[in-house]
Amino acid sequence: MGISEGGTDARSHGFPVDWAAVALEDVTPPNRKNGIVDGPFGSNLKSIHYRKSGVPIITSGFVTEGVFHAEKYDYVDHSKFLEERRSAVSAGDIVMAKIGERCGASAVMPHGHEPGILSGNALKITVDEARYSTTYIWHVLWNSHKTGKLEGLRTVGAQPALSMASLKKFKIPVPPTKAEQQAIATALSDADAYIESLEQLITKKRQIKQGVMQDLLTGKRRLPGFEGEWKARSIGELARLMNGYAFKSQTYDAGGQYSVITIANVQDGWMDVSECSKVVALPTDLQSHQLLKIGDILVSLTGNVGRVCRVSQPECLLNQRVGKILAYDVDEDFLFWVLRNRSFLNAMMARAAGGAQPNLSKYDILEYEVNLPNNRDEQSAIASVLTDIQGELDLLALKLSKARHLKEAMMQQLLTGKIRLV
């Protein structure tokens, strides 16, 4: 079935010769009003119209992540819905954010969802399923949003908003048959399903890790072969806290060999080195502990205080307001997991609260007490279990990253016709 109707030859757009560039308003059902429509004008739907039951209000916040997700609905009564029935939205429609920083984000309202009414910050697109695949059209629109192609449709105002007139004229690439559209949509949806399954597995594994951490680091659960009492000791009895070097901005050089680790690089459990200031040479007065080694334990002392990570690459230098924790009477790996526990972070945040800029002193950390077994072998065994679980999570995160990159590559190939499936 050819579908150049309403469109233009796609060769000038860089697509295959048999594809068409179709205006979005032409993918809606013919002879049907409100195929593309936004929510009621602000004064026509306000909080005073909200009810605890009735017809659900569908807002932009439900679709900003590319998946339709609503934790809670507001409602209008049926009479209000009839007043604003122009803005009705049904299962299978594409819901798009019209206003706000995420305008242009969208998702398909799930099949089986009851009819709703759009909020003022949302719009909907009803696709003519006799000629087009809704899922294919959505994938094109989502890709256009992610790649910034919808930004040209924004109006200038107090906050970003899509121009309805421009959106209706926005042209999208369309293969010549619905079968090819569906084949592309299926391939991309399968990739989405795989990504979602990995995300769910990672969430489950994280919950398991948190539970295991809580049990093992409090002695509630003991590993086989270990017994005996645990003892409360302060961090200061177990380790030293070393200060960073006071680098000056004029010493930084983008072509430098050494990365300067600041509080921005210390994330919750991992070190972010994607953006680091550099220095060419080591300062002559740099202390030995300020030249970091892989595996060193770092803690943030300012801003997002209490975050802990380990150094993950060589040739890193310790900046001020980042502390290095040097273990001497405790297994280093065990100490890392103690500091990674949520209770440590919560305690540090509480101690730093109250100022314009949260800050931790050296003694805030050194005075913090932990319970631990006296047996170093038990400390090491606990750390090994938690490290293994984290290793599984890291592998899953890597697999998820690759799956997302593959999906992006698939979108660029399939939605431009560079790869044909039928």
Side-chain angles (χ1 to χ4, degrees), residues 39-93:
F41 185 73
S43 61
N44 292 341
L45 183 59
K46 301 188 295 186
S47 58
I48 59 172
H49 300 117
Y50 294 176
R51 301 291 182 267
K52 293 183 178 180
S53 62
V55 179
I57 301 172
I58 308 303
T59 78
S60 64
F62 295 172
V63 301
T64 51
E65 298 301 322
V67 178
F68 190 96
H69 176 71
E71 293 184 355
K72 180 182 178 182
Y73 292 91
D74 290 313
Y75 300 86
V76 296
D77 58 34
H78 191 65
S79 61
K80 185 62 179 176
F81 172 72
L82 292 178
E83 285 180 26
E84 305 296 340
R85 58 184 175 272
R86 162 191 172 276
S87 299
V89 56
S90 301
D93 286 343

Side-chain angles (χ1 to χ4, degrees), residues 198 201-202 205 390-402:
L198 286 176
L201 181 57
I202 288 173
K205 289 279 188 181
Q390 185 60 52
E392 292 179 22
L393 276 168
D394 291 342
L395 287 175
L396 286 172
L398 180 61
K399 187 179 291 187
L400 176 60
S401 178
K402 289 181 177 178

